[in-house]
Amino acid sequence: MTQTHAPKPRTRNSRTRKPRTRRRATALVLAAVATALALPTAAHAAVPSPAALVWTPCGIARQECATLTVPLDHSRPRGRTVRLAVSRIRAEGTSRGTLAVIPGGPGSSGVRRLTSKGPALMAATGGRYDLVSFDPRGVGGSTTAACALPEADRRLATLRSWPGAGGAVAENAARSRRTAEACGKNGGAVLASFTTANEVRDLDRFRAALGTAKLSVWATSYGTYVTALYAQRHPDRTGRVVLDSSGDPDPARVERGWLANMARGAEDRFPDFAAWAADPARGAERLAERPAKVRTRVLRVARELDARPRATTTPGLPLTGGMFLQALQSALYDDAAFPQFADLVRAADATRAEPVVLPASLAQPMSQQDAAVTIGVICNDVEWPGSVAEHARAVAKDRARYPLTGGMPVNITPCSYWKKPAEPPTRITDEGPSNILMVQNLRDPATPYSGALRMRAALGRKARLVSVDSGGHGSYLGTGDACGDAAVTAFLVEGVRPGRDVRCP
């Protein structure tokens, strides 16, 4: 038989000490739980309440602007700060909510977008909303940074890393390295803070400064990713959310994927231009008698320009094949740009040796500030592969499959030589309220439909998708059609959202 020990008699001290220990332990556990629950918003809770915004007239009639101060580093809320230019157009009559207009880019101005789209948006929504927006860090009237890049490295066709003749990437690699080194040396902490995660945090500070509990949002292009993250992190602070022209939110690639997908987008969209350029209504300005021959002509001119660049009216800047295809890429955003690109095709293909007049987007270098934010956000958000040989192979493969973009979407960029991201990208999920309406053109050159379908899949039950049989970038009140516009307006005004995904006829 196993011997058992009789329990020791309890003393008065032993009876009273243990309950105190349990109470103390319980208190510590509760404190730990409270701390853990507070962690996701600790930085926000510790930030001093934003100062009242001082509004002054600006832009169009009834538009006002102000400056909002936010932490440079939200984990250090009482440290160094940066300024954000913010803007609003008050509702006509009693406001029934606040609608934020979130721009694309990275690098686009929310204040300018509110100026350009405000009247149409106010009319569409019946003046029911206070319309608001802001310039993200690095943009417009907000705090900016600069990399001190030479003019040649600040042109759109070089920042986009268009390969050289035959797909050569050596010059792209050299430029990318020196650009990354210049940004690392001169951009400082401000440039390092240009991230999607910080734009999400800044947006919530803007909401708090406005004194509104919830934001409804109309976001376009890159802004759809910002807004999807905001809605995921702050589901209780979002009202009706419209994501217009979305990219693939794959957290392993994010901006790398968006750039790569532009090759597919150009192929989806080019038939619209080819049909326009071959239309007999163009008369003597037709580029060819059939759409297929328009494509043949455009690709032939690009090859010839790679072999023999044409002189232009911009001193020291000849027209290369890569620049020519960049002009095409820009033209595909909107039908209104088709005539200018057609003029460039004819000028570049002319037998006479007169200098070609370049579109302003090619002739003028980007400002130091615009170049810095354009590079900074995409490089700060996600890690990019660095092998030059790997990029050369990818370019060769992409040029064969997608000749309209010449390998640019998979070419090496300054991000390959960049410091590793401070924060990993966030995966978009279907968790949260079902309050999102996506609208997407079927033939979008920048955020192709195939990528938008992956955003739709990631959002799951939270979203509905309105697919619009149109071409161009930016659907609502832009390049879409009346069917898509009506669906978005009904959602914003009445909260009426389709019960399932729909396709406009």
Side-chain angles (χ1 to χ4, degrees), residues 179-476:
T179 297
E181 290 173 351
C183 290
K185 177 181 178 181
N186 301 308
V190 173
L191 180 59
S193 78
F194 295 169
T195 67
T196 299
N198 276 334
E199 185 168 342
V200 169
R201 296 176 182 118
D202 292 346
L203 176 59
D204 198 52
R205 291 289 292 168
F206 185 30
R207 177 204 58 80
L210 291 166
T212 183
K214 288 190 174 185
L215 287 174
S216 290
V217 183
W218 170 34
T220 305
S221 192
Y222 164 67
T224 64
Y225 179 62
V226 174
T227 301
L229 288 183
Y230 184 84
Q232 181 164 301
R233 294 181 183 181
H234 303 293
D236 57 331
R237 301 174 189 175
T238 54
R240 298 165 188 173
V241 176
V242 175
L243 304 184
D244 181 346
S245 307
S246 302
D248 181 359
D250 178 5
R253 299 197 306 162
V254 199
E255 285 95 340
R256 283 174 49 210
W258 303 341
L259 187 59
N261 289 344
M262 290 177 76
R264 176 72 262 168
E267 294 290 340
D268 292 345
R269 173 63 164 151
F270 187 81
D272 291 339
F273 171 75
W276 176 91
D279 188 342
R282 305 274 82 76
E285 295 187 345
R286 292 171 75 189
L287 294 183
E289 66 272 19
R290 295 196 306 274
K293 289 195 172 184
V294 172
R295 181 186 178 93
T296 299
R297 184 177 183 183
V298 166
L299 292 175
R300 174 182 58 77
V301 172
R303 289 193 302 270
E304 291 175 354
L305 288 171
D306 266 342
R308 294 180 301 277
R310 285 288 298 269
T312 73
T313 56
T314 305
L317 187 63
L319 177 62
T320 65
M323 291 173 63
F324 178 75
L325 291 179
Q326 175 58 58
L328 168 63
Q329 178 66 35
S330 298
L332 295 179
Y333 276 53
D334 195 315
D335 290 9
F338 287 178
Q340 185 183 49
F341 181 68
D343 288 344
L344 183 64
V345 174
R346 283 188 290 271
D349 201 22
T351 55
R352 59 185 182 275
E354 293 180 8
V356 175
V357 179
L358 296 176
S361 61
L362 294 180
Q364 299 299 321
M366 298 175 70
S367 70
Q368 292 285 0
Q369 292 74 23
D370 287 349
V373 71
T374 298
I375 301 166
V377 177
I378 67 171
C379 297
N380 288 331
D381 268 5
V382 66
E383 191 169 357
W384 295 59
S387 168
V388 177
E390 181 181 334
H391 280 95
R393 289 191 293 270
V395 164
K397 183 177 179 180
D398 215 55
R399 283 168 61 87
R401 186 177 183 187
Y402 302 114
L404 291 172
T405 47
M408 177 276 293
V410 296
N411 198 8
I412 196 163
T413 72
C415 302
S416 293
Y417 302 99
W418 210 261
K419 184 179 178 180
K420 288 187 178 182
E423 301 177 74
T426 300
R427 180 179 296 278
I428 300 295
T429 74
D430 62 356
E431 297 176 2
S434 184
N435 63 345
I436 297 174
L437 180 66
M438 296 177 61
V439 61
Q440 188 80 24
N441 289 342
L442 295 181
R443 300 179 302 282
D444 186 322
T447 52
Y449 190 70
S450 54
L453 291 179
R454 287 189 276 273
M455 174 69 91
R456 174 68 187 90
L459 292 170
R461 62 173 189 81
K462 291 195 299 188
R464 301 290 185 273
L465 171 63
V466 176
S467 302
V468 180
D469 187 5
S470 188
H473 185 53
S475 185
Y476 184 53

Side-chain angles (χ1 to χ4, degrees), residues 135-150:
D135 285 350
R137 301 176 186 217
V139 178
S142 296
T143 296
T144 60
C147 297
L149 301 177

Side-chain angles (χ1 to χ4, degrees), residues 52-56 58 64-68 84-88 111 141:
L53 296 171
V54 179
W55 298 101
T56 58
C58 68
E64 299 173 297
C65 292
T67 299
L68 173 66
L84 301 181
V86 302
S87 187
R88 74 178 179 186
V111 173

Side-chain angles (χ1 to χ4, degrees), residues 81-149:
T81 60
V82 293
R83 303 178 314 279
L84 301 181
V86 302
S87 187
R88 74 178 179 186
I89 303 174
R90 299 296 294 271
E92 297 173 352
T94 302
S95 173
R96 288 178 284 172
T98 302
L99 175 60
V101 176
I102 305 301
S108 294
S109 165
V111 173
R112 287 197 295 271
R113 184 160 179 80
L114 186 60
T115 302
S116 65
K117 291 293 187 180
L121 184 58
M122 188 65 74
T125 56
R128 64 164 292 159
Y129 285 106
D130 289 330
L131 306 181
V132 302
S133 193
F134 71 103
D135 285 350
R137 301 176 186 217
V139 178
S142 296
T143 296
T144 60
C147 297
L149 301 177

